[in-house]
Amino acid sequence: MHLDVLDLRNFYYRSALGRRAQKVIRDEMAYVWPEAKGQMVVGFGFAVPLLRPFMADARRVIGLMPGPQGVMPWPPDGPNVSVLCEDTLWPIETGHVDKLIVMHGLETSETPSALLDEAWRVLGPGGRALFIVPNRAGLWSRSDSTPFGYGRPYSFGQLEAQLRKHRFVTERARSSLYQPPSHGRFWRKSSGLLEKLGHKIPIFAPGGVLMIEVSKQMAAPTPPGLTEAVKRPLKALEEIAKPKPETAREIH
């Protein structure tokens, strides 16, 4: 089930570990999506900590928060863009979203398959989605002191297979949060170094979260009839296609 919005807010905005995790994941997202000028950007679950970089240039930004989780106004320093919704019924028209971020939404949903169908629906052709979930091999999924310790953790293979089943095309996959989920000051100060080591030497330690970017690819419609002209029609059929008139019979 979904976490409570107050617990999520307190972790990401009122704890040193949560603020550090927010920065690390947001930096990874900025690497994948450096800008969204003129685009519609939507976050589902508790993705609002990652939406701020798009506020200035995006055409529209919306933070969808599932009903069981609850909703809070966001951002605190501007007009509210957060909306309460159902897991599988988002108040967005079909095919209007350019970029979609799902964090603390998929792994805690009781209907993940229907949620992915809804994500597919709102994305426009060629639209991109970024799914951020706990890594089942990482330390963060084993700690109840962070939001990533709840719900169903994934491996890369499991997440990719589930997304592929719902017609998403994988574009790239990354991991993040290589520091231990500890509130200790030493680990927070070492997080930058640990992130660099984790990306360069993945076997050093598994990242706490997995991030998979996918796209929505639509097949071009097939026109009715033959797709190309027949260059050499069968001559045997010419007589059938162009019958000659019967000659008059001779009278004897």
Side-chain angles (χ1 to χ4, degrees), residues 39-60:
Q39 297 181 347
M40 183 172 181
V41 182
V42 173
F44 175 80
F46 195 78
V48 289
L50 309 182
L51 297 180
R52 186 171 290 278
F54 304 118
M55 295 292 289
D57 297 328
R59 174 170 52 88
R60 190 175 184 187

Side-chain angles (χ1 to χ4, degrees), residues 7-232:
D7 295 331
L8 291 164
R9 181 199 64 183
N10 291 338
F11 176 75
Y12 281 108
Y13 293 102
R14 298 185 179 180
S15 74
L17 179 62
R19 288 194 296 269
R20 186 61 194 172
Q22 176 185 159
K23 183 182 185 307
V24 169
I25 297 173
R26 192 166 60 197
D27 287 348
E28 289 292 332
M29 182 202 67
Y31 176 83
V32 177
W33 293 342
E35 56 83 28
K37 187 174 182 179
Q39 297 181 347
M40 183 172 181
V41 182
V42 173
F44 175 80
F46 195 78
V48 289
L50 309 182
L51 297 180
R52 186 171 290 278
F54 304 118
M55 295 292 289
D57 297 328
R59 174 170 52 88
R60 190 175 184 187
V61 174
I62 300 176
L64 300 176
M65 300 191 182
Q69 169 190 290
V71 67
M72 73 175 195
W74 189 91
D77 54 353
N80 177 61
V81 302
S82 62
V83 179
L84 188 69
C85 69
E86 296 296 331
D87 268 19
T88 59
L89 189 63
W90 300 356
I92 297 177
E93 295 183 47
T94 299
H96 274 54
V97 177
D98 299 295
K99 284 184 168 65
L100 170 67
I101 305 169
V102 179
M103 184 169 77
H104 301 306
L106 180 62
E107 74 273 14
T108 53
S109 174
E110 296 181 358
T111 55
S113 182
L115 189 153
L116 290 175
D117 285 338
E118 189 70 351
W120 170 269
R121 181 187 69 81
V122 302
L123 274 180
R128 300 291 179 107
L130 187 64
F131 291 89
I132 303 169
V133 299
N135 182 358
R136 65 178 299 179
L139 296 176
W140 289 69
S141 65
R142 307 173 196 178
S143 173
D144 294 339
S145 62
T146 82
F148 292 105
Y150 296 85
R152 298 175 301 275
Y154 286 85
S155 66
F156 271 127
Q158 290 171 335
L159 181 56
E160 187 176 23
Q162 188 169 5
L163 294 172
R164 186 171 58 249
K165 183 179 178 182
H166 290 268
R167 299 173 288 170
F168 290 107
V169 178
T170 299
E171 298 294 338
R172 71 181 95 185
R174 296 177 66 84
S175 58
S176 185
L177 283 185
Y178 288 94
Q179 71 175 87
S182 170
H183 292 268
R185 187 177 179 183
F186 170 79
W187 293 113
R188 293 200 310 271
K189 285 194 170 184
S190 304
S191 63
L193 175 61
L194 292 174
E195 290 298 314
K196 292 179 181 179
L197 289 175
H199 288 302
K200 291 181 179 179
I201 314 174
I203 198 172
F204 173 73
V209 299
L210 306 178
M211 306 172 69
I212 291 189
E213 180 195 19
V214 296
S215 62
K216 177 180 179 178
Q217 302 297 334
M218 303 291 290
T222 303
L226 294 175
T227 57
E228 61 180 57
V230 178
K231 295 180 180 179
R232 295 183 179 180

